[in-house]
Amino acid sequence: MKITGLNLDISWKNKEQNFKHIEKELQHQEADLFLLPEMFSTGFCMDAAEVSDKNQESLEFLQKIAKEKGTAFCGSAPVEENGKFYNRMYFVHPDKKVDFYDKRHLFSFSGEDKVYTPGNERVIVNYKGFRILLQVCYDLRFPVFARNNDDYDAILYVANWPEKRVVAWEHLLKARAIENLSFVFGLNRIGTDGNGLLYQESSHCFFADGKEISQKEGNLITAELNLEELKDFRNHFQFLNDRDSFSIEL
């Protein structure tokens, strides 16, 4: 399965500009799955009442472009639903079917937990034979929530992770791959946001042994995920069989 992520310099609070930018960047690209950053339509913004989708604008854009290109799209957007705000990660299939995950771990350092509502479900998507765990940014710091119970093959992380903390981002992505014997694709934004935070290019895809398997060209990062290679690796190194048993209260 070929995944291509777009290192997007997100236009602050400008959905239409971001939609146009994404379409232009991906116009001549082909992949089984295109990955977009956290809050790809607005930037990581705490003005939820102002920027959150009230009419599924970001979802409709993803469904439109997924249908046009005949492939899947994934990324998160701020959403208002029943008077609450969510940082919602959409996985849109080529037939416009939608799976979604509401970010569980809200970034209290920025006040996200005071504005948005945390999700209460761990979401795994089935696509092209892969079982894919959906995760958003700050979730990366909480390995228990992402622990592989032999129920997924890859993790997708979408993020707005600033340059000043990027070392943690890169090390934790690799750690999640190694400890869970899984592919891990982490897509970060680039540029500067409306709060003046700088984001450097720092997207990666790792194999289960921690090896980088992605290639970068321009603003695109691409990786080929080979499920048979992963199965062979897991059969040889059966570390997951020795994992601790536990349950999580959500």
Side-chain angles (χ1 to χ4, degrees):
M1 178 171 68
K2 179 181 177 181
I3 301 179
T4 294
L6 176 58
N7 292 312
L8 182 64
D9 186 356
I10 304 171
S11 297
W12 190 247
K13 299 183 180 181
N14 193 331
K15 295 177 187 179
E16 289 304 318
Q17 183 64 33
N18 289 313
F19 296 163
K20 290 177 182 178
H21 190 180
I22 291 166
E23 287 187 302
K24 181 179 179 181
E25 288 277 358
L26 301 181
Q27 183 178 6
H28 302 296
Q29 303 300 320
E30 294 184 0
D32 297 301
L33 169 62
F34 287 103
L35 194 59
L36 302 174
E38 178 185 24
M39 293 197 184
F40 69 88
S41 57
T42 64
F44 185 65
C45 181
M46 297 304 100
D47 298 325
E50 177 186 352
V51 302
S52 292
D53 290 350
K54 298 172 178 60
N55 298 300
Q56 299 187 324
E57 304 96 296
S58 301
L59 174 58
E60 289 183 358
F61 166 73
L62 292 179
Q63 290 179 312
K64 169 181 169 289
I65 196 170
K67 182 179 180 181
E68 289 175 350
K69 296 187 74 67
T71 192
F73 273 78
C74 183
S76 96
V79 175
E80 181 177 355
E81 185 175 273
N82 298 323
K84 295 182 179 180
F85 303 108
Y86 300 91
N87 186 345
R88 179 163 292 175
M89 186 176 183
Y90 290 115
F91 191 105
V92 178
H93 298 255
D95 61 0
K96 298 172 65 174
K97 173 192 169 187
V98 179
D99 292 295
F100 70 87
Y101 159 69
D102 291 330
K103 184 178 181 181
R104 172 65 182 170
H105 299 94
L106 301 178
F107 192 44
S108 57
F109 187 75
S110 71
E112 185 183 17
D113 61 320
K114 302 295 191 299
V115 180
Y116 293 89
T117 298
N120 58 11
E121 185 178 3
R122 190 171 182 264
V123 177
I124 296 172
V125 173
N126 291 292
Y127 180 65
K128 289 189 173 292
F130 282 80
R131 301 166 301 168
I132 303 170
L133 178 67
L134 304 184
Q135 299 276 272
V136 180
C137 202
Y138 192 44
D139 286 327
L140 180 61
R141 287 187 179 271
F142 302 93
V144 172
F145 187 65
R147 189 64 171 125
N148 193 349
N149 296 312
D150 201 20
D151 54 359
Y152 66 79
D153 309 301
I155 314 176
L156 301 180
Y157 285 98
V158 296
N160 277 212
W161 199 292
E163 179 271 339
K164 62 179 65 177
R165 294 187 293 277
V166 76
V167 172
W169 159 257
E170 294 178 324
H171 281 282
L172 291 174
L173 286 174
K174 185 179 290 191
R176 295 296 89 81
I178 294 169
E179 71 194 10
N180 292 302
L181 295 187
S182 298
F183 294 103
V184 169
F185 199 125
L187 182 73
N188 200 8
R189 68 158 291 171
I190 59 173
T192 303
D193 70 14
N195 295 314
L197 292 173
L198 175 66
Y199 300 83
Q200 71 179 56
E201 195 289 307
S202 55
S203 299
H204 300 277
C205 186
F206 296 108
F207 184 62
D209 60 358
K211 178 179 64 179
E212 175 102 31
I213 61 169
S214 52
Q215 299 81 40
K216 299 175 183 180
E217 183 175 350
N219 290 329
L220 301 177
I221 171 173
T222 298
E224 292 278 355
L225 277 57
N226 186 314
L227 189 57
E228 291 306 313
E229 183 181 2
L230 179 66
K231 289 179 179 178
D232 289 343
F233 187 83
R234 286 176 169 178
N235 285 335
H236 185 71
F237 298 106
Q238 298 184 20
F239 303 140
L240 288 178
N241 292 344
D242 301 323
R243 66 188 181 275
D244 297 311
S245 297
F246 60 86
S247 59
I248 303 175
E249 293 184 8
L250 298 176

